[in-house]
C-alpha cells in the first residue's frame, strides 16, 4: 500500500513554490521576473508530469478530495499574498465604490474625481493607482456585481475581492469534474497561470468563464433555456463569451434565443437608462490597444493599424464561421472546441494579456492538448516588459525583441507535436 501518493509529493512541492511567491508579495511587493517565471515553469512541469503519470496508469485514480485539498491550499497562498505585476485591481475597487455611490460604475472616468474632496481617503489612494484614468470602466454589468460583492464584504479590500474570485474559480473546478477525468482537471486546478491571475491578482475573467462552463453543463443536460440565460450573464460579464454562444445554442429554438437576448437586454437596461455602459471603452479598446500580439503584430508594421485590425477580424470571422458550419452538421452533442475558438481569437487579436488564456483552459481540460497547456506557461513571458524590467529606455509595456518569437515559437512547436501525435494515432 502506498502511504504517500505522487499527487501529495507534487502538491507539497508546488505549495512551497506558491508559498514563496505569497511571502515575497506580502513582504516586499513584486517578485523578480526570473523567480516568478522559474517557479511557474517548475510548477507547470510538475503538474504535467503528474497528469502524464495518471493518464498512463488509469488503474490508479486521483482522489478528488486530494485534488481539491491542494487546489485550495494553492489559492490560499494567493489570498494571503498580494497582487503582483498588476494594478488592475484598483479599477475593480473603484468601480464598486462608484456603483454604491451613484448606482452605476459607468460614464464618468476616474480622473474626474482626482480633486474631489468628497472621496474618502482610502478611495483617494485607490484612485491614484488606477491605470488609464481618463477612460470610464471597461468591465461588464455582471462583473460589476461581483466587484460589488467584494465591496459588501470589505469596502476597498483587494483581499475580499480575491476571496470572491477564488470561490468562483473553485466552482469552475467542481463543474469541470463533471466534464473531464480528475487527472485532466488537475491541469486547470494546479495551473500557475490560473493561480496567479485569479488567486493572486483577482482578474475577473474567471467569472465569465465560470458562467460559460455552467451553460455547457446545462446544455449537456438538455436544459437549454437555463443555458441561454447563463450565456447572457456570461456575455454581460465579458463580451468574449459571445464567440461560443452560437455553438452552445446551435440547435436551440427561437424561444431559447429570445430567452438569451431578453436576459441580455434586461441586464443592460438599467445602465442604458442611466446613460452609459461598458461599450464606450470597449470600442476604444478595439480601435487602439495593442499588447503581446501574435499575427496582428506581424501585420502591423506593413499596413495601417485600422487595416491590420480589419484583416485579422475577417480572418477570425471566416475561421469561426467555417468551424460553426462543420460543428452544426455533427449528429452528436459534443462540446464545442472552445480551445480552438479562443486560441484562434488570441492568435489574431491585437491584445493578448496572460489572463485571457483563462478562456481556453477549461476547454483544454475537456480535450487536453500540448499546445494549450504550453501556451498557459509561455504567455507568462508577456510580463517581461520595460516596466517590470525597470528599464526606463523602453516603453513601460514594450517587450524585448526576443520575447514574442520565443513565446509564440514555443507554442508553435507544441502545436506541431500535437499534429504529429494526432497523425500517429490514425
Amino acid at each position: 500500500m502506498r502511504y504517500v501518493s505522487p499527487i501529495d509529493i507534487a502538491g507539497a512541492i508546488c505549495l512551497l513554490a506558491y508559498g514563496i511567491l505569497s511571502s515575497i508579495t506580502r513582504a516586499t511587493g513584486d517578485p523578480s521576473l526570473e523567480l516568478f517565471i522559474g517557479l511557474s515553469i517548475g510548477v507547470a512541469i510538475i503538474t504535467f508530469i503528474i497528469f502524464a503519470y495518471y493518464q498512463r496508469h488509469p488503474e490508479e485514480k486521483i482522489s478528488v478530495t486530494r485534488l481539491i485539498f491542494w487546489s485550495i491550499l494553492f489559492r490560499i497562498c494567493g489570498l494571503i499574498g498580494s497582487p503582483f505585476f498588476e494594478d488592475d485591481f484598483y479599477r475593480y475597487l473603484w468601480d464598486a465604490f462608484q456603483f454604491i455611490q451613484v448606482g452605476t460604475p459607468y460614464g464618468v472616468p476616474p480622473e474626474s474625481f482626482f480633486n474631489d474632496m468628497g472621496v474618502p481617503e482610502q478611495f483617494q489612494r485607490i484612485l491614484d493607482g488606477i491605470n488609464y484614468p481618463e477612460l470610464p470602466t471597461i468591465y461588464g454589468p455582471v462583473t460589476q456585481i461581483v466587484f460589488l460583492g467584494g465591496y459588501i464584504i470589505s469596502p476597498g479590500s483587494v483581499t475580499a475581492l480575491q476571496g470572491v474570485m477564488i470561490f468562483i474559480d473553485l466552482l469552475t473546478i467542481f463543474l469541470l469534474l463533471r466534464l473531464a477525468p480528475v487527472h485532466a482537471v488537475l491541469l486547470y486546478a494546479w495551473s500557475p497561470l490560473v493561480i496567479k491571475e485569479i488567486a493572486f491578482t483577482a482578474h475577473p475573467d474567471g467569472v465569465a468563464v465560470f458562467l460559460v462552463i455552467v451553460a455547457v453543463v446545462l446544455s449537456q443536460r438538455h436544459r437549454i433555456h437555463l443555458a441561454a440565460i447563463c450565456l447572457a450573464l456570461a456575455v454581460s460579464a465579458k463580451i468574449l463569451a459571445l464567440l461560443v454562444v452560437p455553438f452552445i445554442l446551435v440547435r436551440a429554438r427561437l424561444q431559447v434565443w429570445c430567452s438569451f437576448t431578453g436576459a441580455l437586454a434586461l441586464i443592460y437596461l438599467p445602465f442604458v437608462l442611466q446613460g452609459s455602459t461598458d461599450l464606450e471603452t470597449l470600442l476604444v479598446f478595439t480601435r487602439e490597444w495593442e499588447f503581446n500580439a501574435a499575427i496582428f503584430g506581424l501585420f502591423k508594421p506593413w499596413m495601417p493599424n485600422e487595416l491590420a485590425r480589419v484583416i485579422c477580424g475577417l480572418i477570425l470571422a471566416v475561421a469561426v464561421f467555417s468551424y460553426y458550419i462543420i460543428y452544426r452538421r455533427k449528429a452528436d452533442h459534443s462540446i464545442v472546441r472552445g480551445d480552438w475558438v479562443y486560441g484562434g481569437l488570441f492568435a489574431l487579436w491585437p491584445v493578448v494579456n496572460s489572463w485571457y488564456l483563462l478562456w481556453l483552459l477549461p476547454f483544454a481540460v475537456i480535450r487536453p492538448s500540448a499546445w494549450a497547456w504550453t501556451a498557459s506557461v509561455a504567455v507568462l513571458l508577456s510580463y517581461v516588459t520595460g516596466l517590470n524590467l525597470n528599464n526606463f529606455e523602453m516603453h513601460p509595456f514594450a517587450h524585448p525583441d526576443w520575447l514574442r518569437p520565443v513565446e509564440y515559437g514555443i507554442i508553435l512547436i507544441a502545436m506541431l507535436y500535437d499534429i504529429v501525435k494526432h497523425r500517429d494515432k490514425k
Side-chain angles (χ1 to χ4, degrees):
M1 180 177 178
R2 180 182 290 130
Y3 293 96
V4 181
S5 68
I7 192 173
D8 290 324
I9 296 171
I13 296 171
C14 294
L15 182 63
L16 176 62
Y18 290 127
I20 290 170
L21 284 177
S22 181
S23 176
I24 291 172
T25 58
R26 190 167 183 83
T28 62
D30 293 351
S32 69
L33 283 166
E34 294 83 0
L35 178 66
F36 166 63
I37 293 173
L39 288 176
S40 298
I41 292 172
V43 167
I45 290 172
I46 290 170
T47 302
F48 298 160
I49 289 172
I50 292 297
F51 166 77
Y53 174 84
Y54 283 100
Q55 190 174 43
R56 292 174 182 174
H57 297 83
E59 72 281 0
E60 297 189 41
K61 304 293 184 181
I62 295 179
S63 163
V64 172
T65 303
R66 279 192 165 104
L67 171 74
I68 299 298
F69 171 75
W70 289 111
S71 300
I72 291 174
L73 288 183
F74 300 160
R75 284 157 177 78
I76 288 174
C77 288
L79 187 65
I80 294 171
S82 300
F84 59 95
F85 301 152
E86 283 294 333
D87 55 13
D88 286 353
F89 65 91
Y90 290 113
R91 174 75 75 163
Y92 315 155
L93 301 176
W94 175 257
D95 283 359
F97 173 73
Q98 278 298 98
F99 206 157
I100 286 288
Q101 295 301 306
V102 299
T104 179
Y106 299 117
V108 183
E111 69 175 8
S112 299
F113 298 89
F114 282 165
N115 298 316
D116 187 342
M117 294 299 102
V119 176
E121 183 179 348
Q122 178 189 16
F123 284 93
Q124 283 286 359
R125 293 194 298 269
I126 289 170
L127 192 58
D128 291 340
I130 295 174
N131 57 33
Y132 302 104
E134 72 279 8
L135 295 173
T137 185
I138 198 172
Y139 300 102
V142 169
T143 299
Q144 296 291 351
I145 291 170
V146 174
F147 295 163
L148 202 59
Y151 183 96
I152 291 169
I153 294 170
S154 181
S157 169
V158 69
T159 303
L161 197 54
Q162 287 171 284
V164 173
M165 298 301 178
I166 288 169
F167 176 73
I168 293 171
D169 188 43
L170 290 172
L171 292 179
T172 300
I173 293 172
F174 282 109
L175 287 175
L176 289 174
L177 287 168
R178 297 174 179 271
L179 299 171
V182 179
H183 69 277
V185 177
L186 179 137
L187 289 169
Y188 178 90
W190 289 23
S191 166
L193 183 142
V194 175
I195 304 299
K196 192 276 177 192
E197 302 301 353
I198 294 180
F200 277 94
T201 316
H203 272 295
D205 288 62
V207 175
V209 171
F210 163 71
L211 291 166
V212 167
I213 299 304
V214 172
V216 168
V217 172
L218 289 170
S219 69
Q220 291 294 295
R221 296 183 174 186
H222 306 291
R223 302 178 71 178
I224 199 67
H225 277 280
L226 286 176
I229 292 170
C230 279
L231 287 172
L233 292 169
V235 173
S236 303
K238 191 157 187 175
I239 200 167
L240 292 185
L242 269 176
L243 279 176
V244 293
V245 170
F247 296 92
I248 297 174
L249 302 183
V250 63
R251 292 182 179 86
R253 296 179 179 179
L254 179 61
Q255 297 95 316
V256 175
W257 281 99
C258 288
S259 296
F260 169 75
T261 54
L264 191 61
L266 283 174
I267 293 165
Y268 268 93
L269 182 61
F271 304 102
V272 171
L273 292 177
Q274 293 181 79
S276 189
T277 68
D278 56 318
L279 299 180
E280 176 184 343
T281 304
L282 276 170
L283 290 174
V284 176
F285 173 85
T286 304
R287 289 195 310 263
E288 300 177 10
W289 290 2
E290 192 269 337
F291 177 78
N292 194 37
I295 295 173
F296 175 82
L298 297 176
F299 287 169
K300 190 178 177 182
W302 305 100
M303 60 187 69
N305 172 62
E306 294 80 4
L307 180 59
R309 289 173 188 267
V310 168
I311 290 175
C312 286
L314 288 173
I315 294 172
L316 177 66
V318 170
V320 172
F321 182 72
S322 299
Y323 174 48
Y324 176 78
I325 296 300
I326 296 169
Y327 182 82
R328 187 177 175 83
R329 290 172 180 169
K330 288 185 177 180
D332 62 0
H333 295 273
S334 61
I335 296 171
V336 57
R337 292 299 302 260
D339 53 337
W340 290 356
V341 173
Y342 288 112
L345 171 66
F346 301 140
L348 290 157
W349 220 17
V351 179
V352 185
N353 291 306
S354 59
W355 56 90
Y356 290 0
L357 272 290
L358 292 170
W359 284 88
L360 66 83
L361 294 186
F363 294 99
V365 166
I366 299 167
R367 295 186 182 88
S369 61
W371 76 265
W373 293 104
T374 299
S376 75
V377 183
V379 75
L380 295 175
L381 289 172
S382 64
Y383 281 110
V384 182
T385 61
L387 179 65
N388 293 328
L389 289 169
N390 295 314
N391 186 333
F392 299 105
E393 295 180 359
M394 295 174 61
H395 184 279
F397 298 113
H399 291 131
D401 292 339
W402 58 266
L403 189 137
R404 293 192 203 183
V406 170
E407 176 187 353
Y408 291 110
I410 291 170
I411 297 171
L412 283 172
I413 291 171
M415 291 180 70
L416 290 173
Y417 170 81
D418 281 332
I419 292 170
V420 171
K421 186 177 179 181
H422 179 73
R423 286 180 177 175
D424 288 345
K425 285 183 177 180
K426 288 185 175 180

